[in-house]
Amino acid sequence: MRIYTSTNDALDFCKSCFPKDEDKAYDKYGTLGDGPDDRGNCFAYDEEHPEYEDSDNPYECECCGKTLTNEDD
């Protein structure tokens, strides 16, 4: 599961660590400043992401460090 911060950084989470409340996620990740190229606030909640298991570089949960699988979608 993926969140983009207000500065357009992609953060991936396992199911158990993903913020369940979009408003609380915004408070933590949506107030970090504007995105690049004058895009404004780029915060996005529960966004599309690459297949976690089809990558040469495994994705890890932003919070706990668990290697993500497609089950974490």
Side-chain angles (χ1 to χ4, degrees):
M1 304 181 97
R2 178 172 278 187
I3 289 176
Y4 284 95
T5 68
S6 63
T7 58
N8 203 38
D9 295 319
L11 305 177
D12 293 295
F13 299 87
C14 67
K15 274 189 175 183
S16 47
C17 290
F18 185 77
K20 307 297 186 249
D21 183 288
E22 186 172 355
D23 290 333
K24 288 180 182 177
Y26 181 85
D27 290 344
K28 185 169 185 177
Y29 302 110
T31 58
L32 304 175
D34 288 341
D37 304 324
D38 296 321
R39 288 188 219 165
N41 189 324
C42 295
F43 176 79
Y45 182 81
D46 198 12
E47 289 297 299
E48 293 291 320
H49 55 78
E51 292 290 323
Y52 289 134
E53 294 178 11
D54 291 342
S55 173
D56 292 335
N57 298 316
Y59 288 86
E60 294 181 352
C61 176
E62 185 70 24
C63 290
C64 71
K66 171 190 161 196
T67 298
L68 298 176
T69 68
N70 291 336
E71 298 292 318
D72 292 303
D73 183 19

